[in-house]
Amino acid sequence: MTQVARPPRSEPGGSRGLAARVSLGRIFTPPSSEFVLIASTALLLTIFGLVMVLSATSATASGQFDTALKQGVFALLGVPMMFLVSRMSVAFLKRLAWPALILAVVFQLLVFTPLGVEDAGNRNWIDLGFSSVQPSEFMKLALALWVAYVLLRKQARLGIWHHVFIPVIPVAVLAIGTVIAGNDLGTAMILVLVLLGCLFFSGVKLRLFILPMIVGTGAVLAYAFSSEDRLRRITATCSDMSLYYGDCYQSIHGIWGMASGGIFGLGLGNSQEKYGWLPAAANDFIFAIVGEELGLIGCLVVLALFTFFAVGAFHIIRKTDDPFIRVAAGGITVWLIGQALINVGVVIGIFPVLGVPLPFMSQGGTALLSVLLACGVLLAFARTIPQAERGKVAR
C-alpha cells in the first residue's frame, strides 16, 4: 500500500501570529480622507465655538468663566465620546436604532414632569440639579438611525407607499409631537428635516417623497400660524423701526452687530452688542458676535468649515454601498448643515427668530454633545469607505 503524503501541520503559534498581524494591520490602517475631513472640521468648529462663547459671555463678570467652563466640560466629554462612537461597528449601530429612539422619546417626555423647565414659552428642558438638559437634541440622532434601520428592512419595497409610510410616518409624528407639545417650533422643524433627508437618500420614488414633504411643510406652517402671538413674531417686518422695542429687537441688533464688524471686525473680545444689547448673544446669535468681532472674514471661515464638513459627509453617502449608511448619513448631514443654514439665516434677517442653535458653536452643552455624537456616527461610517472602495475595485 502506498502512503499518502500529509500536508505539514501548521504550528499554533503561527496562526496566532498571523491573526495578531491582521488585527494590528486593521488598527494602523490609515483613515479615509472623509474621516480626516469630518473629524478635523468638527474639532476646529468646537474650539472656535468655545472661544466665541467665552468672548460673548465676558461682558458679565459672573458669567465670564462659569458659562465657558460648562461648555468646555461638555466639549471634553463629547470629543472622546465622538471618537469612541467612531469605533462602533455598523451592525451595532443598527441594533441600537430601536432602543435609541425609545429612550429618546421617554427622555423627552420627562419635560412634562416636575423635572421640566419652561423658558420663554418653551417647555423643552429638564433640570438635573447640576445642569439643565434639552432631551430633544438627542432625538435628532435617534430618529436618523431609526428611520435608516426601518427603511433598510424595506429596501425592496420602497416603491409601495404603505411600506414607505408605515411605521415611519406614524412613529416620527409621535416623536416630533412630543417636541411640539413643548412649543419648540425650531427643534420640530429640524426633526422634520431629518425625516425628509432620510426619505430622500433612501431612494424613495419622487412621487412618494413629495407627499410627506408637503405634509411636513404644511404641518409646520399650520403649527406656526396656530397662535396669534407666534404669527405676529413670524410675520414681523424688521425693516420697520417702529417694531424696534417689540418683536424685532433681537433681529435688529443681530444685523447691527454683523454690520459694525465690516470686513476685518472689531477684534476678538471687542463686541459692543454683547453688553446687554443682543439677547442670546452666546446662544442662537453667536454668529452675530463672530461677524462683529471677526468681520466678514471670520464669518467666511465658519461657513467654509461647514462646507468642508458637508463635502466629507456627502462623499460617504456617494461612496457607500450600504443603504443604512447612506440613509443615516443623509439624515445627519441634512440635520447639521440645514440647522447651520437656518441659524445663519435668522441672524442675517432672512428667517424669523426660531431658537435654533448653531451646531458646534452655540452655548448649550446638550446640543454640543448630541452634535459630537452624530459626528462619531459619521466617522464610524467613514471607516467603512476604504473597504467599500476595495470591494468595488475587486468587482
Side-chain angles (χ1 to χ4, degrees):
M1 295 178 65
T2 59
Q3 294 181 347
V4 179
R6 296 180 179 179
R9 294 180 179 178
S10 60
E11 298 181 1
S15 61
R16 287 197 298 269
L18 178 61
R21 288 195 297 273
V22 171
S23 299
L24 286 174
R26 290 176 180 174
I27 293 175
F28 291 104
T29 300
S32 63
S33 58
E34 292 80 11
F35 185 97
V36 175
L37 195 57
I38 293 173
S40 58
T41 51
L43 291 175
L44 288 174
L45 283 169
T46 301
I47 295 171
F48 200 167
L50 291 175
V51 173
M52 295 312 303
V53 167
L54 177 62
S55 175
T57 57
S58 62
T60 57
S62 59
Q64 178 175 5
F65 295 107
D66 183 46
T67 304
L69 181 61
K70 286 183 179 179
Q71 190 78 355
V73 168
F74 277 100
L76 289 177
L77 289 173
V79 171
M81 290 178 67
M82 177 180 73
F83 287 107
L84 180 63
V85 172
S86 73
R87 304 299 303 182
M88 294 180 179
S89 65
V90 176
F92 179 78
L93 292 173
K94 291 177 182 178
R95 291 195 297 269
L96 200 63
W98 269 105
L101 183 64
I102 293 173
L103 289 175
V105 172
V106 172
F107 197 29
Q108 172 63 24
L109 290 175
L110 291 178
V111 303
F112 304 109
T113 67
L115 293 175
V117 177
E118 185 171 336
D119 183 19
N122 293 347
R123 192 175 181 86
N124 205 22
W125 299 83
I126 58 175
D127 187 5
L128 298 180
F130 61 90
S131 179
S132 296
V133 179
Q134 189 173 4
S136 58
E137 291 293 333
F138 297 111
M139 192 180 294
K140 300 172 184 176
L141 176 58
L143 184 63
L145 293 176
W146 179 82
V147 174
Y149 179 73
V150 171
L151 294 181
L152 169 68
R153 299 176 65 86
K154 295 173 174 283
Q155 191 65 27
R157 303 175 181 176
L158 293 182
I160 307 173
W161 72 268
H162 58 271
H163 283 290
V164 175
F165 294 167
I166 301 174
V168 170
I169 300 302
V171 174
V173 168
L174 175 63
I176 298 173
T178 61
V179 177
I180 294 178
N183 294 322
D184 191 350
L185 176 61
T187 303
M189 288 179 58
I190 301 302
L191 288 169
V192 171
L193 277 181
V194 172
L195 175 60
L196 293 178
C198 289
L199 288 174
F200 178 81
F201 287 104
S202 67
V204 172
K205 293 184 180 297
L206 185 61
R207 58 184 173 84
L208 298 179
F209 173 75
I210 290 177
L211 181 58
M213 183 175 65
I214 294 175
V215 172
T217 305
V220 170
L221 291 177
Y223 176 75
F225 291 101
S226 62
S227 168
E228 183 178 348
D229 177 68
R230 195 180 300 118
L231 175 63
R232 188 192 70 252
R233 288 187 284 112
I234 291 176
T235 58
T237 304
C238 293
S239 59
D240 184 2
M241 290 302 295
S242 63
L243 299 177
Y244 172 76
Y245 290 106
D247 298 321
C248 291
Y249 181 85
Q250 193 169 9
S251 297
I252 290 174
H253 276 280
I255 295 174
W256 284 356
M258 295 283 291
S260 62
I263 297 178
F264 300 103
L266 303 178
L268 186 63
N270 293 331
S271 167
Q272 301 300 315
E273 292 292 338
K274 66 186 179 184
Y275 286 94
W277 294 103
L278 179 62
N283 298 317
D284 303 338
F285 277 75
I286 190 72
F287 193 72
I289 304 300
V290 174
E292 185 180 9
E293 295 188 351
L294 303 179
L296 177 63
I297 293 178
C299 293
L300 291 178
V301 169
V302 173
L303 295 177
L305 289 174
F306 276 108
T307 302
F308 292 142
F309 182 91
V311 169
F314 280 119
H315 275 199
I316 295 175
I317 299 170
R318 182 177 62 86
K319 293 181 179 180
T320 186
D321 291 329
D322 191 329
F324 174 80
I325 293 178
R326 182 170 59 252
V327 175
I332 293 172
T333 305
V334 170
W335 156 27
L336 297 178
I337 302 303
Q339 185 170 316
L341 292 176
I342 291 175
N343 178 274
V344 173
V346 168
V347 172
I348 63 178
I350 296 178
F351 304 128
V353 178
L354 297 171
V356 175
L358 184 62
F360 300 103
M361 297 189 63
S362 289
Q363 174 195 343
T366 312
L368 178 61
L369 192 59
S370 65
V371 166
L372 291 175
L373 289 175
C375 288
V377 173
L378 289 178
L379 294 179
F381 294 159
R383 289 185 181 276
T384 67
I385 296 302
Q387 301 173 9
E389 290 183 334
R390 284 196 296 268
K392 289 180 181 178
V393 172
R395 288 195 296 271

